[in-house]
């Protein structure tokens, strides 16, 4: 009796652990799969922190930014459904054996601000992440040790269909969001957000103090300057960055600062307080930007000039790279300097386009989906394009779940109505044959 009670406790415990792991792995994989470039940037942060940038190519990092979330999502689905039990138990234990000591090291040394395990959807400190991983490691050990006690919801004959569909779904989702923009935006620059509001600090709170610094070169010597001691034009601009000088209350947007390349003045307030429309062309590294739609970008700029709208290109690239871009594309629009990380956060496209009004983000476009002359037929005040694009995260999540769950339920239904029914018939037939054989032997 005592052994039976122990077995029941172990079974309840291991199934609780695998459902917990499964839910968190599905969530973690999903929020990174909808923003593959965001996870790629986090991988690049890790490589830079460990001095490994030169070891691994950006293409391989991007591939990992797609494959790792797909593996997380797949493992989570396997655990939730109780399929591929040996493989899922081994992989989840491997994941946690790597992640737990890594996040302990990150908590001690803090080379990156957060691990990025849940993308931008749920940002944890490094110590919070380590605590979470320590708990999940114990759960993973339990699942691995008592994997045979997991309750199976799908028969082995049909699990290959679930496995194949799961990975096809998550890969398609990642590539779609890579080609377009993330279908879910967890960042403070999402459509409908007001940038000025995101920068506000509650009354009485002590703000963090930031400083814009500029790296310039002259006669082979590179030096760093601030706006206060910015030198004359004999120095060549290399790059700009925003530094935290004093930690205080940190609003959701704390590093949005537009510095005009023409006057070296901070024009952030004037742009964000403009009651009219303003287009912001975002190219975090102009030398890496896709130039296949340069004619359309120039047309949008001409449209802006014609109707009196603002148009600024924001980049973190040095002046010589901007000059190359101007020579190559014929760009006449003004450029502003902004921190590279901020630009990557604003939009996951290089280049990408924002439409703002009075500081509010009305719309975003990836490079391949810019508005063209068939859309820009009148003033924005008279066009649907000039209105805030309506988005609903709940509706988007609902659509994604339907695309994944409905085929999944169809397969489960096939499993219940066909596969399991055949197995029951086969078992009944086997029992009848066994009884018949037994009766014949007894009769003899």
């Amino acid at each position: 009796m005592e052994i039976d009670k122990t077995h029941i406790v172990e079974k309840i415990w291991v199934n609780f652990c695998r459902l917990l792991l499964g839910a968190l792995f599905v969530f973690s994989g999903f929020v990174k799969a909808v923003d593959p470039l965001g996870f790629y940037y986090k991988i690049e942060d890790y490589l830079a922190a460990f001095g490994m940038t030169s070891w691994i190519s950006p293409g391989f990092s991007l591939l990992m930014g797609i494959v790792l979330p797909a593996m997380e999502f797949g493992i989570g689905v396997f655990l939730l459904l109780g399929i591929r039990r040996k493989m899922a138990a081994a992989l989840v234990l491997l994941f946690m054996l790597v992640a737990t000591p890594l996040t302990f090291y990150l908590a001690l040394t803090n080379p990156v601000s957060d691990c990025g395990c849940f993308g931008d959807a749920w940002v944890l400190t490094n110590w919070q992440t380590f605590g979470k991983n320590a708990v999940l490691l114990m759960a993973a050990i339990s699942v691995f040790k008592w994997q045979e006690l997991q309750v199976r919801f799908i028969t082995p004959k049909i699990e290959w269909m679930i496995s194949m569909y799961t990975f096809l779904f998550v890969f398609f989702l990642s590539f779609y969001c890579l080609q377009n923009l993330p279908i879910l935006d967890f960042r403070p620059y999402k459509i409908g957000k007001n940038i000025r509001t995101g920068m506000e600090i509650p009354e009485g709170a002590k703000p963090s103090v930031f400083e814009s610094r500029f790296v310039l070169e002259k006669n082979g010597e590179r030096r760093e300057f601030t706006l206060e001691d910015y030198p004359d034009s004999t120095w060549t601009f290399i790059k700009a960055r925003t530094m935290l000088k004093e930690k205080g209350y940190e609003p959701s947007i704390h590093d949005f600062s537009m510095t005009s390349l023409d006057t070296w003045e901070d024009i952030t307030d004037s742009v964000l307080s403009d009651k009219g429309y303003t287009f912001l062309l975002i190219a975090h590294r102009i030398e890496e930007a896709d130039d296949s739609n340069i004619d359309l970008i120039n047309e949008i700029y001409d449209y802006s000039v014609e109707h009196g709208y603002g148009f600024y290109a924001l980049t973190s690239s040095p002046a010589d790279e901007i000059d190359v871009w101007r020579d190559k594309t014929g760009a006449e629009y003004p450029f502003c300097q902004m921190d590279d990380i901020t630009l990557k956060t604003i939009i996951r496209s290089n280049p990408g386009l924002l439409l703002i009004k009075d500081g509010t983000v009305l719309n975003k476009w990836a490079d391949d989906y810019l508005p063209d002359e068939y859309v820009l037929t009148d003033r924005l005040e008279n066009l649907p394009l000039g209105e805030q694009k309506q988005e609903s995260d709940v509706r988007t999540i609902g659509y994604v779940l339907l695309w994944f769950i409905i085929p999944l339920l169809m397969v489960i239904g096939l499993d219940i109505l066909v596969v399991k029914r055949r197995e029951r018939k086969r078992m009944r037939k086997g029992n009848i044959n066994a009884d018949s054989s037994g009766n014949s032997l007894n009769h003899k």
Side-chain angles (χ1 to χ4, degrees):
M1 182 65 71
E2 191 66 31
I3 295 177
D4 290 341
K5 287 184 179 178
T6 302
H7 180 77
I8 291 172
V9 170
E10 289 175 350
K11 189 171 185 177
I12 292 173
W13 170 249
V14 75
N15 280 282
F16 169 77
C17 289
R18 63 105 173 189
L19 290 175
L20 173 66
L21 286 164
L24 285 177
F25 267 64
V26 165
F27 176 69
S28 176
F30 175 76
V31 296
K32 290 200 284 281
V34 298
D35 187 10
L37 272 181
F39 189 48
Y40 158 71
Y41 294 146
K42 181 58 65 176
I43 292 174
E44 290 287 289
D45 289 344
Y46 273 108
L47 295 177
F50 290 105
M52 299 171 60
T53 306
S54 60
W55 296 10
I56 299 176
S57 68
F60 184 78
S61 297
L62 180 58
L63 179 63
M64 289 298 98
I66 296 173
V67 171
L68 289 177
M71 290 183 63
E72 282 188 275
F73 187 84
I75 291 170
V77 171
F78 295 168
L79 289 169
L80 289 176
L81 297 179
I83 62 176
R84 307 287 187 192
R85 291 184 291 187
K86 289 184 178 181
M87 181 177 69
L91 286 175
V92 75
L93 180 60
L94 178 62
F95 259 82
M96 298 318 304
L97 285 174
V98 172
T100 306
L102 175 61
T103 51
F104 180 63
Y105 174 80
L106 294 177
L108 289 176
T109 59
N110 202 40
V112 292
S113 58
D114 69 273
C115 75
C117 52
F118 296 124
D120 292 307
W122 185 13
V123 179
L124 302 176
T125 66
N126 286 327
W127 279 112
Q128 289 172 337
T129 302
F130 169 69
K132 180 259 298 178
N133 285 347
V135 172
L136 295 185
L137 176 60
M138 291 188 289
I141 292 172
S142 299
V143 170
F144 184 79
K145 183 178 181 180
W146 295 298
Q147 56 190 258
E148 70 280 354
L149 298 181
Q150 295 182 52
V151 175
R152 177 186 288 274
F153 296 113
I154 304 293
T155 59
K157 291 184 178 180
I158 211 78
E159 65 182 16
W160 68 271
M161 295 180 65
I162 300 292
S163 305
M164 181 179 294
Y165 177 70
T166 295
F167 284 109
L168 285 176
F169 170 83
V170 72
F171 277 123
F172 175 81
L173 179 64
S174 291
F175 282 109
Y176 176 85
C177 294
L178 187 64
Q179 180 67 26
N180 298 270
L181 292 176
I183 58 173
L184 292 171
D185 192 348
F186 304 107
R187 291 155 291 157
Y189 299 95
K190 67 181 296 183
I191 293 174
K193 292 288 187 179
N194 186 280
I195 299 176
R196 282 189 303 165
T197 302
M199 298 168 68
E200 290 178 354
I201 298 174
E203 186 176 352
K206 182 181 179 180
S208 294
V209 179
F210 293 89
E211 183 178 64
S212 295
R213 296 187 179 181
F214 308 90
V215 178
L216 294 96
E217 185 176 49
K218 180 179 180 181
N219 299 327
E221 177 192 2
R222 287 194 178 187
R223 288 178 56 189
E224 195 170 79
F225 300 90
T226 65
L227 282 173
E228 286 72 25
D229 62 354
Y230 200 86
D232 56 42
S233 59
T234 60
W235 288 80
T236 303
F237 175 83
I238 302 299
K239 63 179 180 179
R241 59 194 180 111
T242 303
M243 298 290 294
L244 175 66
K245 292 185 64 177
E246 186 178 344
K247 181 71 174 177
Y249 175 84
E250 191 169 291
S252 58
I253 298 176
H254 56 269
D255 47 9
F256 187 94
S257 176
M258 297 174 57
T259 303
S260 171
L261 274 180
D262 295 328
T263 62
W264 291 107
E265 294 180 358
D266 189 323
I267 61 172
T268 308
D269 290 338
S270 63
V271 172
L272 295 182
S273 60
D274 189 342
K275 302 296 183 182
Y277 293 98
T278 301
F279 287 98
L280 299 179
L281 179 68
I282 310 295
H284 66 92
R285 299 299 296 179
I286 199 71
E287 64 272 21
E288 299 172 3
D290 183 3
D291 61 358
S292 59
N293 289 305
I294 53 175
D295 292 336
L296 184 52
I297 293 173
N298 290 337
E299 288 175 9
I300 296 173
Y301 170 67
D302 292 338
Y303 169 85
S304 301
V305 172
E306 180 183 352
H307 293 88
Y309 305 136
F311 190 108
Y312 300 93
L314 311 183
T315 186
S316 64
S317 296
D320 57 341
E321 296 292 351
I322 295 173
D323 290 339
V324 171
W325 175 266
R326 282 173 167 159
D327 292 339
K328 181 171 61 174
T329 65
E332 298 179 352
Y333 36 82
F335 275 82
C336 294
Q337 280 289 330
M338 185 175 283
D339 181 72
D340 184 61
I341 295 176
T342 305
L343 296 172
K344 291 177 181 177
T345 304
I346 293 173
I347 191 168
R348 305 298 200 206
S349 181
N350 188 27
L353 188 67
L354 263 70
L355 177 63
I356 66 173
K357 184 179 183 181
D358 197 20
T360 298
V361 180
L362 301 182
N363 213 333
K364 289 183 176 184
W365 296 275
D367 180 48
D368 290 334
Y369 299 93
L370 298 174
D372 55 26
E373 67 273 15
Y374 300 105
V375 177
L376 300 172
T377 55
D378 198 352
R379 294 186 60 83
L380 290 175
E381 291 84 351
N382 304 324
L383 296 174
L385 192 71
E387 301 175 1
Q388 180 183 315
K389 183 181 179 182
Q390 298 303 310
E391 291 189 334
S392 169
D393 290 346
V394 174
R395 185 172 65 246
T396 300
I397 293 173
Y399 285 145
V400 174
L401 288 176
L402 286 176
W403 274 103
F404 181 66
I405 290 177
I406 288 180
L408 197 64
L409 291 176
M410 292 173 63
V411 174
I412 293 174
L414 177 68
D415 185 51
I416 295 172
L417 298 176
V418 179
V419 179
K420 288 184 178 179
R421 179 176 291 183
R422 285 180 179 176
E423 288 184 352
R424 287 194 294 268
K425 286 182 178 179
R426 191 179 299 110
M427 289 178 64
R428 284 198 298 267
K429 187 175 180 180
N431 292 334
I432 292 172
N433 291 336
D435 291 340
S436 299
S437 299
N439 291 334
S440 298
L441 290 173
N442 290 334
H443 181 70
K444 291 180 179 180

